[in-house]
Amino acid sequence: MATIVGLVIAGILLSILFIMGIAGLVASSSGDVPTVKANSVLYINLSGSVAERIPEDPLAEAFGEENRGIELLATLNALEYAKTDNNIKGIYMEHGYLSGGYGSIEEIRDAIEDFKSSGKFVYSYAEFLSEANYYVASVSDEIYFNPQGIMELNGLSANITFFKGLFDKLEIEPQIFRVGTYKSAVEPFMRKDMSEANREQVGSFINSIYDHYLQKVSASREIDYDKLKVISDSMLVRNAEDAYKYKLVTKIAYSDEIKALIREQLELKEDAKINSVSLKNYIKLANSVDKYSSNKIAVIIAEGEIVSGKGDVDNVGSDKFARVIKKARENDKVKAVVIRVNSPGGGIVASDVIWHEILLTKQKKPVIASMSSVAASGGYYLSMPCDTIVAQPNTITGSIGIFGMMFNMSGFLENKLGITSDVVNTGEFSDIYTVSRPLNDYEKSIIQGRVEEGYESFTGKAAEGRKMDIEALKKVASGRVWTGSQAKEIGLVDVLGSYDDAIKIAATKAGIADDYMTILYPELKSEFEEIMSKLVGETEARFMKANYGNITPYLDQIKKLENYNGIQARMPFDIEIK
């Protein structure tokens, strides 16, 4: 007993010392706001995933992990500030592998293009250029490409993972209920490939996205659109020489050569040190600038799946977001609200709870929807009551349709695990929501009826919000996914523009265009909470990776089925466009 008590006490003391040590590392790593020297360059490592906001990661900072991805809204703010900062003479981008939706990437590209309007230079260097990276790089004055560099310019593809074969082997039967010819979120569980309707809509929206991509690159690089399309369709760029031959890059060179060009631009001597500041540190500086105003625009960031309850940092919890919207509505200093949506949707009840709060807020002050990369199904549900909907041309939106799904696991339980069950009911349908037997036809009709009621409610509210005839709305609904450009043509979106455009529209509608500040909601966790959640999250992730290796992403997708409770307003969120 004494030994056990001693071990417990020792474990507690070691845990306390460990946390104190981590806290000390965090404190030492979170330095003051950096000072930018005169004649400096803003250095951007354009790699990692793009997210609207990235919570503070004290462990990453403490252990020197610099690249945690691109924090979109903070990056846009920093680029805006750099445009007028006399100490910043230009931008130097090094390209790694950038991942994210094209709506978000478009925001970065547009912000860098706007930065160039100040007359300052933008240079890029790359050893590998993905399609996403090149989209941003294409606005650069100079693009230096490594002699052995690899460039991807061969069009977009959309990949969907299907699980029907797995369920067949496990003797698990998905029981599907849906409304909408194009409502394809359930297809991975009932098919082994895309339906013709789904193939049609996916082909339509990825071609729309890529057409916009080619038009923008054509204008930036001064290459004829038709010629650029042939280069892409035929995959004529296979090495650095090809990239230079077709004028996609300006020079084949190594990184020291572009640094020599930067020194020349800054009028420095050959071996002089280049003063630079990283994007991460410059964000701290841009955020520290006093922008106080008594007129506030609340930006409420809805990123991730929409779920009932509180949710967490990776999704949109209906309870938490309803409270945040109510708080903004009741705050007299908040003159307008921007709902920033980057969501493929989720539970229809959770979406409706948030929709109701947005509708109440709209009655008191302007509410603008700003669509990021994805604002579809439940994501569109949050947008449709707003005064104005702003989307990027390549935003994925629409998908106005719903579905429900239950699993009959009787075969799996009995034949694979040897588990059987029996039941005593007080009513004929008391066990309708069980997984231990299949539903009968009448039970299926009950659930299908509820799904159809939900669809009528969704389309009715969408038609009311968009001021459209219900039949006209249904013609563009049926679960179909559209790009922002397409959605603008059919009336689902009001304005094609950026996050900044949405803020300006909100300020104008509120009558505060000359004097306002933005505040972001919901609030992020404290540093201590981030430390603890990070420790738990990393432990779980490493366990999964160690035990399941390369199939871990597929297991993660199956695990997400936990969020499929009740009727869903969700698009096929696991589509990978690359």
PDB file of all heavy atoms in Angstrom, residues 61-93:
ATOM      1  N   GLU A  61       4.319  26.187 -30.472  1.00  0.00           N
ATOM      2  CA  GLU A  61       5.208  27.339 -30.320  1.00  0.00           C
ATOM      3  C   GLU A  61       6.375  27.018 -29.395  1.00  0.00           C
ATOM      4  O   GLU A  61       7.513  27.400 -29.644  1.00  0.00           O
ATOM      5  CB  GLU A  61       4.412  28.533 -29.787  1.00  0.00           C
ATOM      6  CG  GLU A  61       3.392  29.075 -30.775  1.00  0.00           C
ATOM      7  CD  GLU A  61       2.742  30.355 -30.275  1.00  0.00           C
ATOM      8  OE1 GLU A  61       3.254  30.936 -29.303  1.00  0.00           O
ATOM      9  OE2 GLU A  61       1.730  30.768 -30.868  1.00  0.00           O
ATOM     10  N   ALA A  62       6.064  26.308 -28.304  1.00  0.00           N
ATOM     11  CA  ALA A  62       7.113  25.987 -27.329  1.00  0.00           C
ATOM     12  C   ALA A  62       8.192  25.107 -27.926  1.00  0.00           C
ATOM     13  O   ALA A  62       9.371  25.235 -27.595  1.00  0.00           O
ATOM     14  CB  ALA A  62       6.489  25.313 -26.104  1.00  0.00           C
ATOM     15  N   PHE A  63       7.794  24.195 -28.813  1.00  0.00           N
ATOM     16  CA  PHE A  63       8.759  23.262 -29.396  1.00  0.00           C
ATOM     17  C   PHE A  63       9.215  23.682 -30.786  1.00  0.00           C
ATOM     18  O   PHE A  63       9.808  22.898 -31.520  1.00  0.00           O
ATOM     19  CB  PHE A  63       8.171  21.852 -29.427  1.00  0.00           C
ATOM     20  CG  PHE A  63       8.003  21.257 -28.049  1.00  0.00           C
ATOM     21  CD1 PHE A  63       6.744  21.122 -27.495  1.00  0.00           C
ATOM     22  CD2 PHE A  63       9.103  20.876 -27.307  1.00  0.00           C
ATOM     23  CE1 PHE A  63       6.573  20.591 -26.225  1.00  0.00           C
ATOM     24  CE2 PHE A  63       8.945  20.334 -26.032  1.00  0.00           C
ATOM     25  CZ  PHE A  63       7.682  20.195 -25.487  1.00  0.00           C
ATOM     26  N   GLY A  64       8.935  24.921 -31.159  1.00  0.00           N
ATOM     27  CA  GLY A  64       9.481  25.481 -32.389  1.00  0.00           C
ATOM     28  C   GLY A  64       8.834  24.992 -33.663  1.00  0.00           C
ATOM     29  O   GLY A  64       9.445  25.054 -34.727  1.00  0.00           O
ATOM     30  N   GLU A  65       7.607  24.500 -33.604  1.00  0.00           N
ATOM     31  CA  GLU A  65       6.909  24.081 -34.813  1.00  0.00           C
ATOM     32  C   GLU A  65       6.280  25.324 -35.447  1.00  0.00           C
ATOM     33  O   GLU A  65       5.226  25.789 -35.034  1.00  0.00           O
ATOM     34  CB  GLU A  65       5.841  23.041 -34.479  1.00  0.00           C
ATOM     35  CG  GLU A  65       6.411  21.756 -33.902  1.00  0.00           C
ATOM     36  CD  GLU A  65       5.319  20.773 -33.508  1.00  0.00           C
ATOM     37  OE1 GLU A  65       4.167  20.942 -33.977  1.00  0.00           O
ATOM     38  OE2 GLU A  65       5.606  19.859 -32.727  1.00  0.00           O
ATOM     39  N   GLU A  66       6.950  25.852 -36.434  1.00  0.00           N
ATOM     40  CA  GLU A  66       6.554  27.142 -36.991  1.00  0.00           C
ATOM     41  C   GLU A  66       5.304  27.058 -37.866  1.00  0.00           C
ATOM     42  O   GLU A  66       4.423  27.892 -37.785  1.00  0.00           O
ATOM     43  CB  GLU A  66       7.708  27.728 -37.817  1.00  0.00           C
ATOM     44  CG  GLU A  66       8.889  28.182 -36.975  1.00  0.00           C
ATOM     45  CD  GLU A  66       8.563  29.376 -36.091  1.00  0.00           C
ATOM     46  OE1 GLU A  66       7.752  30.215 -36.514  1.00  0.00           O
ATOM     47  OE2 GLU A  66       9.090  29.451 -34.978  1.00  0.00           O
ATOM     48  N   ASN A  67       5.234  26.046 -38.730  1.00  0.00           N
ATOM     49  CA  ASN A  67       4.171  26.028 -39.732  1.00  0.00           C
ATOM     50  C   ASN A  67       2.971  25.214 -39.246  1.00  0.00           C
ATOM     51  O   ASN A  67       3.004  23.996 -39.226  1.00  0.00           O
ATOM     52  CB  ASN A  67       4.692  25.453 -41.050  1.00  0.00           C
ATOM     53  CG  ASN A  67       3.633  25.520 -42.137  1.00  0.00           C
ATOM     54  OD1 ASN A  67       2.735  26.357 -42.088  1.00  0.00           O
ATOM     55  ND2 ASN A  67       3.733  24.634 -43.110  1.00  0.00           N
ATOM     56  N   ARG A  68       1.915  25.916 -38.852  1.00  0.00           N
ATOM     57  CA  ARG A  68       0.684  25.240 -38.455  1.00  0.00           C
ATOM     58  C   ARG A  68      -0.422  25.494 -39.480  1.00  0.00           C
ATOM     59  O   ARG A  68      -1.588  25.288 -39.193  1.00  0.00           O
ATOM     60  CB  ARG A  68       0.247  25.710 -37.070  1.00  0.00           C
ATOM     61  CG  ARG A  68       1.240  25.397 -35.977  1.00  0.00           C
ATOM     62  CD  ARG A  68       0.655  25.673 -34.610  1.00  0.00           C
ATOM     63  NE  ARG A  68       0.294  27.082 -34.445  1.00  0.00           N
ATOM     64  CZ  ARG A  68      -0.950  27.516 -34.238  1.00  0.00           C
ATOM     65  NH1 ARG A  68      -1.945  26.674 -34.202  1.00  0.00           N
ATOM     66  NH2 ARG A  68      -1.191  28.805 -34.091  1.00  0.00           N
ATOM     67  N   GLY A  69      -0.027  25.934 -40.657  1.00  0.00           N
ATOM     68  CA  GLY A  69      -1.005  26.247 -41.682  1.00  0.00           C
ATOM     69  C   GLY A  69      -1.204  27.746 -41.816  1.00  0.00           C
ATOM     70  O   GLY A  69      -0.494  28.556 -41.214  1.00  0.00           O
ATOM     71  N   ILE A  70      -2.164  28.122 -42.625  1.00  0.00           N
ATOM     72  CA  ILE A  70      -2.446  29.521 -42.920  1.00  0.00           C
ATOM     73  C   ILE A  70      -3.751  29.926 -42.234  1.00  0.00           C
ATOM     74  O   ILE A  70      -4.818  29.371 -42.528  1.00  0.00           O
ATOM     75  CB  ILE A  70      -2.575  29.757 -44.436  1.00  0.00           C
ATOM     76  CG1 ILE A  70      -1.331  29.254 -45.179  1.00  0.00           C
ATOM     77  CG2 ILE A  70      -2.823  31.221 -44.721  1.00  0.00           C
ATOM     78  CD1 ILE A  70      -0.071  29.988 -44.867  1.00  0.00           C
ATOM     79  N   GLU A  71      -3.657  30.882 -41.309  1.00  0.00           N
ATOM     80  CA  GLU A  71      -4.842  31.400 -40.640  1.00  0.00           C
ATOM     81  C   GLU A  71      -5.412  32.503 -41.520  1.00  0.00           C
ATOM     82  O   GLU A  71      -4.889  33.622 -41.563  1.00  0.00           O
ATOM     83  CB  GLU A  71      -4.484  31.926 -39.254  1.00  0.00           C
ATOM     84  CG  GLU A  71      -5.673  32.327 -38.435  1.00  0.00           C
ATOM     85  CD  GLU A  71      -5.302  32.735 -37.016  1.00  0.00           C
ATOM     86  OE1 GLU A  71      -4.100  32.697 -36.667  1.00  0.00           O
ATOM     87  OE2 GLU A  71      -6.222  33.106 -36.271  1.00  0.00           O
ATOM     88  N   LEU A  72      -6.503  32.205 -42.211  1.00  0.00           N
ATOM     89  CA  LEU A  72      -6.970  33.039 -43.305  1.00  0.00           C
ATOM     90  C   LEU A  72      -7.295  34.471 -42.893  1.00  0.00           C
ATOM     91  O   LEU A  72      -6.740  35.425 -43.459  1.00  0.00           O
ATOM     92  CB  LEU A  72      -8.200  32.399 -43.960  1.00  0.00           C
ATOM     93  CG  LEU A  72      -8.813  33.192 -45.122  1.00  0.00           C
ATOM     94  CD1 LEU A  72      -7.810  33.396 -46.244  1.00  0.00           C
ATOM     95  CD2 LEU A  72     -10.056  32.485 -45.634  1.00  0.00           C
ATOM     96  N   LEU A  73      -8.190  34.665 -41.935  1.00  0.00           N
ATOM     97  CA  LEU A  73      -8.639  36.018 -41.613  1.00  0.00           C
ATOM     98  C   LEU A  73      -7.504  36.871 -41.067  1.00  0.00           C
ATOM     99  O   LEU A  73      -7.396  38.060 -41.383  1.00  0.00           O
ATOM    100  CB  LEU A  73      -9.804  35.973 -40.623  1.00  0.00           C
ATOM    101  CG  LEU A  73     -11.060  35.230 -41.109  1.00  0.00           C
ATOM    102  CD1 LEU A  73     -12.206  35.420 -40.116  1.00  0.00           C
ATOM    103  CD2 LEU A  73     -11.484  35.694 -42.494  1.00  0.00           C
ATOM    104  N   ALA A  74      -6.631  36.270 -40.249  1.00  0.00           N
ATOM    105  CA  ALA A  74      -5.476  37.011 -39.729  1.00  0.00           C
ATOM    106  C   ALA A  74      -4.506  37.350 -40.853  1.00  0.00           C
ATOM    107  O   ALA A  74      -3.896  38.431 -40.861  1.00  0.00           O
ATOM    108  CB  ALA A  74      -4.773  36.197 -38.648  1.00  0.00           C
ATOM    109  N   THR A  75      -4.353  36.446 -41.819  1.00  0.00           N
ATOM    110  CA  THR A  75      -3.467  36.694 -42.957  1.00  0.00           C
ATOM    111  C   THR A  75      -3.990  37.850 -43.807  1.00  0.00           C
ATOM    112  O   THR A  75      -3.222  38.716 -44.240  1.00  0.00           O
ATOM    113  CB  THR A  75      -3.331  35.418 -43.817  1.00  0.00           C
ATOM    114  OG1 THR A  75      -2.716  34.387 -43.034  1.00  0.00           O
ATOM    115  CG2 THR A  75      -2.507  35.679 -45.068  1.00  0.00           C
ATOM    116  N   LEU A  76      -5.299  37.868 -44.046  1.00  0.00           N
ATOM    117  CA  LEU A  76      -5.889  38.968 -44.828  1.00  0.00           C
ATOM    118  C   LEU A  76      -5.665  40.306 -44.133  1.00  0.00           C
ATOM    119  O   LEU A  76      -5.347  41.314 -44.783  1.00  0.00           O
ATOM    120  CB  LEU A  76      -7.381  38.721 -45.035  1.00  0.00           C
ATOM    121  CG  LEU A  76      -7.779  37.433 -45.768  1.00  0.00           C
ATOM    122  CD1 LEU A  76      -9.294  37.345 -45.904  1.00  0.00           C
ATOM    123  CD2 LEU A  76      -7.112  37.358 -47.138  1.00  0.00           C
ATOM    124  N   ASN A  77      -5.822  40.325 -42.824  1.00  0.00           N
ATOM    125  CA  ASN A  77      -5.601  41.548 -42.050  1.00  0.00           C
ATOM    126  C   ASN A  77      -4.141  41.996 -42.132  1.00  0.00           C
ATOM    127  O   ASN A  77      -3.842  43.191 -42.293  1.00  0.00           O
ATOM    128  CB  ASN A  77      -5.998  41.308 -40.594  1.00  0.00           C
ATOM    129  CG  ASN A  77      -5.856  42.551 -39.741  1.00  0.00           C
ATOM    130  OD1 ASN A  77      -6.340  43.620 -40.090  1.00  0.00           O
ATOM    131  ND2 ASN A  77      -5.176  42.421 -38.603  1.00  0.00           N
ATOM    132  N   ALA A  78      -3.221  41.024 -42.036  1.00  0.00           N
ATOM    133  CA  ALA A  78      -1.793  41.343 -42.093  1.00  0.00           C
ATOM    134  C   ALA A  78      -1.400  41.890 -43.470  1.00  0.00           C
ATOM    135  O   ALA A  78      -0.617  42.849 -43.572  1.00  0.00           O
ATOM    136  CB  ALA A  78      -0.970  40.101 -41.762  1.00  0.00           C
ATOM    137  N   LEU A  79      -1.926  41.310 -44.531  1.00  0.00           N
ATOM    138  CA  LEU A  79      -1.603  41.778 -45.881  1.00  0.00           C
ATOM    139  C   LEU A  79      -2.152  43.183 -46.123  1.00  0.00           C
ATOM    140  O   LEU A  79      -1.513  44.014 -46.785  1.00  0.00           O
ATOM    141  CB  LEU A  79      -2.152  40.802 -46.921  1.00  0.00           C
ATOM    142  CG  LEU A  79      -1.455  39.437 -46.978  1.00  0.00           C
ATOM    143  CD1 LEU A  79      -2.229  38.464 -47.855  1.00  0.00           C
ATOM    144  CD2 LEU A  79      -0.026  39.580 -47.485  1.00  0.00           C
ATOM    145  N   GLU A  80      -3.326  43.452 -45.585  1.00  0.00           N
ATOM    146  CA  GLU A  80      -3.900  44.791 -45.701  1.00  0.00           C
ATOM    147  C   GLU A  80      -3.016  45.811 -44.987  1.00  0.00           C
ATOM    148  O   GLU A  80      -2.778  46.916 -45.495  1.00  0.00           O
ATOM    149  CB  GLU A  80      -5.317  44.794 -45.109  1.00  0.00           C
ATOM    150  CG  GLU A  80      -6.001  46.148 -45.066  1.00  0.00           C
ATOM    151  CD  GLU A  80      -6.321  46.695 -46.443  1.00  0.00           C
ATOM    152  OE1 GLU A  80      -6.434  45.900 -47.403  1.00  0.00           O
ATOM    153  OE2 GLU A  80      -6.459  47.932 -46.571  1.00  0.00           O
ATOM    154  N   TYR A  81      -2.522  45.449 -43.805  1.00  0.00           N
ATOM    155  CA  TYR A  81      -1.671  46.353 -43.034  1.00  0.00           C
ATOM    156  C   TYR A  81      -0.314  46.549 -43.725  1.00  0.00           C
ATOM    157  O   TYR A  81       0.228  47.660 -43.764  1.00  0.00           O
ATOM    158  CB  TYR A  81      -1.466  45.801 -41.619  1.00  0.00           C
ATOM    159  CG  TYR A  81      -0.670  46.708 -40.719  1.00  0.00           C
ATOM    160  CD1 TYR A  81      -1.185  47.932 -40.281  1.00  0.00           C
ATOM    161  CD2 TYR A  81       0.615  46.352 -40.305  1.00  0.00           C
ATOM    162  CE1 TYR A  81      -0.449  48.770 -39.465  1.00  0.00           C
ATOM    163  CE2 TYR A  81       1.358  47.182 -39.485  1.00  0.00           C
ATOM    164  CZ  TYR A  81       0.826  48.389 -39.066  1.00  0.00           C
ATOM    165  OH  TYR A  81       1.561  49.220 -38.259  1.00  0.00           O
ATOM    166  N   ALA A  82       0.217  45.461 -44.289  1.00  0.00           N
ATOM    167  CA  ALA A  82       1.535  45.527 -44.942  1.00  0.00           C
ATOM    168  C   ALA A  82       1.520  46.452 -46.150  1.00  0.00           C
ATOM    169  O   ALA A  82       2.529  47.064 -46.496  1.00  0.00           O
ATOM    170  CB  ALA A  82       1.976  44.121 -45.361  1.00  0.00           C
ATOM    171  N   LYS A  83       0.369  46.574 -46.782  1.00  0.00           N
ATOM    172  CA  LYS A  83       0.260  47.421 -47.992  1.00  0.00           C
ATOM    173  C   LYS A  83       0.644  48.863 -47.697  1.00  0.00           C
ATOM    174  O   LYS A  83       1.222  49.548 -48.556  1.00  0.00           O
ATOM    175  CB  LYS A  83      -1.167  47.315 -48.531  1.00  0.00           C
ATOM    176  CG  LYS A  83      -1.381  48.040 -49.841  1.00  0.00           C
ATOM    177  CD  LYS A  83      -2.742  47.748 -50.441  1.00  0.00           C
ATOM    178  CE  LYS A  83      -3.850  48.408 -49.651  1.00  0.00           C
ATOM    179  NZ  LYS A  83      -5.165  48.325 -50.351  1.00  0.00           N
ATOM    180  N   THR A  84       0.356  49.341 -46.483  1.00  0.00           N
ATOM    181  CA  THR A  84       0.636  50.739 -46.131  1.00  0.00           C
ATOM    182  C   THR A  84       1.778  50.882 -45.120  1.00  0.00           C
ATOM    183  O   THR A  84       2.040  51.988 -44.647  1.00  0.00           O
ATOM    184  CB  THR A  84      -0.632  51.400 -45.550  1.00  0.00           C
ATOM    185  OG1 THR A  84      -1.084  50.640 -44.414  1.00  0.00           O
ATOM    186  CG2 THR A  84      -1.738  51.452 -46.597  1.00  0.00           C
ATOM    187  N   ASP A  85       2.425  49.774 -44.779  1.00  0.00           N
ATOM    188  CA  ASP A  85       3.542  49.805 -43.833  1.00  0.00           C
ATOM    189  C   ASP A  85       4.815  50.208 -44.593  1.00  0.00           C
ATOM    190  O   ASP A  85       5.307  49.444 -45.443  1.00  0.00           O
ATOM    191  CB  ASP A  85       3.710  48.425 -43.197  1.00  0.00           C
ATOM    192  CG  ASP A  85       4.796  48.397 -42.113  1.00  0.00           C
ATOM    193  OD1 ASP A  85       5.570  49.371 -42.013  1.00  0.00           O
ATOM    194  OD2 ASP A  85       4.871  47.396 -41.379  1.00  0.00           O
ATOM    195  N   ASN A  86       5.356  51.358 -44.292  1.00  0.00           N
ATOM    196  CA  ASN A  86       6.526  51.858 -45.014  1.00  0.00           C
ATOM    197  C   ASN A  86       7.773  50.997 -44.813  1.00  0.00           C
ATOM    198  O   ASN A  86       8.710  51.066 -45.614  1.00  0.00           O
ATOM    199  CB  ASN A  86       6.832  53.302 -44.584  1.00  0.00           C
ATOM    200  CG  ASN A  86       5.758  54.269 -45.049  1.00  0.00           C
ATOM    201  OD1 ASN A  86       5.121  54.054 -46.083  1.00  0.00           O
ATOM    202  ND2 ASN A  86       5.530  55.330 -44.282  1.00  0.00           N
ATOM    203  N   ASN A  87       7.798  50.207 -43.740  1.00  0.00           N
ATOM    204  CA  ASN A  87       8.949  49.334 -43.496  1.00  0.00           C
ATOM    205  C   ASN A  87       8.940  48.089 -44.367  1.00  0.00           C
ATOM    206  O   ASN A  87       9.966  47.451 -44.546  1.00  0.00           O
ATOM    207  CB  ASN A  87       8.999  48.920 -42.017  1.00  0.00           C
ATOM    208  CG  ASN A  87       9.345  50.080 -41.108  1.00  0.00           C
ATOM    209  OD1 ASN A  87      10.119  50.966 -41.487  1.00  0.00           O
ATOM    210  ND2 ASN A  87       8.777  50.103 -39.914  1.00  0.00           N
ATOM    211  N   ILE A  88       7.775  47.712 -44.874  1.00  0.00           N
ATOM    212  CA  ILE A  88       7.653  46.536 -45.743  1.00  0.00           C
ATOM    213  C   ILE A  88       7.741  46.977 -47.197  1.00  0.00           C
ATOM    214  O   ILE A  88       6.912  47.742 -47.689  1.00  0.00           O
ATOM    215  CB  ILE A  88       6.318  45.799 -45.493  1.00  0.00           C
ATOM    216  CG1 ILE A  88       6.249  45.265 -44.065  1.00  0.00           C
ATOM    217  CG2 ILE A  88       6.126  44.667 -46.496  1.00  0.00           C
ATOM    218  CD1 ILE A  88       7.249  44.170 -43.744  1.00  0.00           C
ATOM    219  N   LYS A  89       8.773  46.480 -47.885  1.00  0.00           N
ATOM    220  CA  LYS A  89       9.007  46.866 -49.273  1.00  0.00           C
ATOM    221  C   LYS A  89       8.463  45.847 -50.271  1.00  0.00           C
ATOM    222  O   LYS A  89       8.341  46.144 -51.461  1.00  0.00           O
ATOM    223  CB  LYS A  89      10.510  47.060 -49.513  1.00  0.00           C
ATOM    224  CG  LYS A  89      11.143  48.104 -48.607  1.00  0.00           C
ATOM    225  CD  LYS A  89      10.472  49.462 -48.750  1.00  0.00           C
ATOM    226  CE  LYS A  89      11.097  50.510 -47.840  1.00  0.00           C
ATOM    227  NZ  LYS A  89      10.381  51.807 -47.924  1.00  0.00           N
ATOM    228  N   GLY A  90       8.185  44.647 -49.773  1.00  0.00           N
ATOM    229  CA  GLY A  90       7.679  43.628 -50.687  1.00  0.00           C
ATOM    230  C   GLY A  90       7.394  42.333 -49.959  1.00  0.00           C
ATOM    231  O   GLY A  90       7.601  42.210 -48.747  1.00  0.00           O
ATOM    232  N   ILE A  91       6.915  41.355 -50.714  1.00  0.00           N
ATOM    233  CA  ILE A  91       6.597  40.022 -50.184  1.00  0.00           C
ATOM    234  C   ILE A  91       7.461  38.992 -50.883  1.00  0.00           C
ATOM    235  O   ILE A  91       7.625  39.026 -52.113  1.00  0.00           O
ATOM    236  CB  ILE A  91       5.111  39.688 -50.402  1.00  0.00           C
ATOM    237  CG1 ILE A  91       4.227  40.543 -49.489  1.00  0.00           C
ATOM    238  CG2 ILE A  91       4.828  38.205 -50.154  1.00  0.00           C
ATOM    239  CD1 ILE A  91       2.733  40.358 -49.733  1.00  0.00           C
ATOM    240  N   TYR A  92       8.020  38.079 -50.089  1.00  0.00           N
ATOM    241  CA  TYR A  92       8.738  36.932 -50.635  1.00  0.00           C
ATOM    242  C   TYR A  92       8.017  35.665 -50.184  1.00  0.00           C
ATOM    243  O   TYR A  92       7.908  35.390 -48.989  1.00  0.00           O
ATOM    244  CB  TYR A  92      10.193  36.922 -50.155  1.00  0.00           C
ATOM    245  CG  TYR A  92      10.937  35.647 -50.504  1.00  0.00           C
ATOM    246  CD1 TYR A  92      10.933  35.152 -51.804  1.00  0.00           C
ATOM    247  CD2 TYR A  92      11.649  34.945 -49.525  1.00  0.00           C
ATOM    248  CE1 TYR A  92      11.616  33.987 -52.127  1.00  0.00           C
ATOM    249  CE2 TYR A  92      12.342  33.781 -49.841  1.00  0.00           C
ATOM    250  CZ  TYR A  92      12.316  33.307 -51.141  1.00  0.00           C
ATOM    251  OH  TYR A  92      12.985  32.148 -51.459  1.00  0.00           O
ATOM    252  N   MET A  93       7.498  34.899 -51.159  1.00  0.00           N
ATOM    253  CA  MET A  93       6.789  33.656 -50.855  1.00  0.00           C
ATOM    254  C   MET A  93       7.628  32.445 -51.244  1.00  0.00           C
ATOM    255  O   MET A  93       8.174  32.387 -52.355  1.00  0.00           O
ATOM    256  CB  MET A  93       5.461  33.593 -51.622  1.00  0.00           C
ATOM    257  CG  MET A  93       4.397  34.527 -51.103  1.00  0.00           C
ATOM    258  SD  MET A  93       2.797  34.242 -51.913  1.00  0.00           S
ATOM    259  CE  MET A  93       3.108  34.927 -53.550  1.00  0.00           C
TER     260      MET A  93
END
